[in-house]
Amino acid sequence: MSRFDTLFQHLQRTKQGAFVPFVTLCDPSLERSFEIICTLVDNGADALELGFPFSDPLLDGPVIQAANNRALSAGFSTDACFALLERIRARYAEIPISLLLCANLVYAQGLDRFYQRCHTAGVDAVLIADVPLMAAEPFVQSAVKFGIQPVFICPPNADEQTIADVAKHAQGYTYLVSRAGVTSAENQQHASTLDNLIVKLKEHNAPPILQGFGIAKPEQVKEALNSGCRGAISGSAIVKIIERNLDNHAQCLQELGEFVSNMKNATY
């Protein structure tokens, strides 16, 4: 079984949901990023979703765009990210690690080389934000070849066919987007359509559903779980903590630890 499969089985047995934080690798520096990610794991993160810094991110709002810029301005790119991933995997052998990134970063490496590097670094799953299902087959084939689970987004306006296709092709987990637009820590508006999407995804035997976009408070984690999701992903709220503590790394780690602990406690 994959690490994600093992995680969700464990959480089901122990009656927990999953809390998954997102950060951009190498923000604000390689060493600080390593310490930030260790803090996330040590304070209760069930899995990690990590981004590669990129100059033109498509789904990211201003907060995560700024994180991309900080990492790139500091001189860190794909090679540094893979080196950092290897350090994370060496310290945490069991935690599932997923990447969320744009297709250009994959094309720049070549599909097989990119997924091979993911395998070597201990990555479990990859979500490519700007590759639609109709164009995903080469990515899926390459990912599976190297033991990487391809993850897909179910958008809030998905029709029946899209839901069926996401369920058919996704592995590891299904990323359910709470609302249209870019990433943000602003409170998401819970729409009744989300409940219908969750029901339909389950009818099509989709992988466990993690809800993302606008997850910034423990009560939103509880709401996602109560609606039938298996967990929640939070990014912008975490990156905001990093941003406001750029001049005080110790304070940054303390606030991140408290945030993750509170969000994880909401999953019980």
Side-chain angles (χ1 to χ4, degrees):
M1 287 194 303
S2 74
R3 290 186 183 92
F4 274 105
D5 296 337
T6 300
L7 170 68
F8 285 116
Q9 285 196 8
H10 166 73
L11 294 176
Q12 186 170 30
R13 286 196 307 269
T14 55
K15 301 187 187 306
Q16 301 175 51
F19 176 65
V20 182
F22 169 91
V23 292
T24 299
L25 290 161
C26 300
D27 172 38
S29 69
L30 192 148
E31 197 58 39
R32 284 193 174 191
S33 181
F34 179 69
E35 293 175 359
I36 285 167
I37 292 167
C38 289
T39 298
L40 302 179
V41 179
D42 293 343
N43 283 276
D46 292 298
L48 296 168
E49 190 176 71
L50 304 172
F52 277 26
F54 183 54
S55 57
D56 300 292
L58 296 180
L59 281 180
D60 296 328
V63 173
I64 297 178
Q65 286 181 26
N68 281 272
N69 290 336
R70 286 193 296 270
L72 292 172
S73 297
F76 300 111
S77 57
T78 298
D79 287 346
C81 290
F82 276 116
L84 181 52
L85 287 166
E86 290 180 3
R87 288 181 66 188
I88 296 163
R89 177 54 72 210
R91 175 167 290 198
Y92 303 103
E94 301 302 327
I95 193 163
I97 298 175
S98 175
L99 301 183
L100 172 58
L101 70 168
C102 292
N104 277 2
L105 293 170
V106 182
Y107 279 125
Q109 299 281 310
L111 270 64
D112 279 2
R113 182 167 183 264
F114 174 81
Y115 285 108
Q116 184 176 41
R117 294 187 77 178
C118 288
H119 173 78
T120 300
V123 171
D124 299 290
V126 173
L127 193 170
I128 304 174
D130 53 345
V131 172
L133 278 164
M134 67 181 67
E137 186 59 30
F139 295 88
V140 172
Q141 289 181 357
S142 187
V144 171
K145 182 190 304 184
F146 293 100
I148 305 299
Q149 295 183 303
V151 177
F152 290 96
I153 290 173
C154 181
N157 62 344
D159 59 20
E160 187 75 28
Q161 187 60 54
T162 299
I163 293 168
D165 289 343
V166 167
K168 178 180 178 181
H169 295 289
Q171 298 180 30
Y173 64 96
T174 304
Y175 193 127
L176 176 64
V177 173
S178 302
R179 51 167 173 70
V182 296
T183 56
S184 169
E186 295 176 2
N187 291 349
Q188 42 129 1
Q189 297 292 324
H190 180 74
S192 59
T193 54
L194 280 185
D195 295 330
N196 183 58
L197 287 175
I198 293 164
V199 169
K200 292 293 186 182
L201 285 166
K202 290 182 176 182
E203 287 177 355
H204 287 282
N205 297 311
I209 303 164
L210 298 179
Q211 185 175 323
F213 277 46
I215 304 291
K217 298 178 181 179
E219 51 264 36
Q220 293 171 317
V221 175
K222 287 184 179 294
E223 185 178 352
L225 295 174
N226 289 337
S227 69
C229 294
R230 296 289 297 278
I233 299 170
S234 179
S236 293
I238 291 172
V239 177
K240 275 188 173 181
I241 295 173
I242 298 170
E243 183 177 56
R244 68 170 176 257
N245 288 290
L246 292 173
D247 296 327
N248 191 337
H249 188 52
Q251 179 69 21
C252 176
L253 298 181
Q254 180 181 334
E255 290 188 24
L256 286 171
E258 292 171 355
F259 178 85
V260 173
S261 179
N262 290 335
M263 297 292 268
K264 176 55 191 172
N265 286 340
T267 71
Y268 291 97

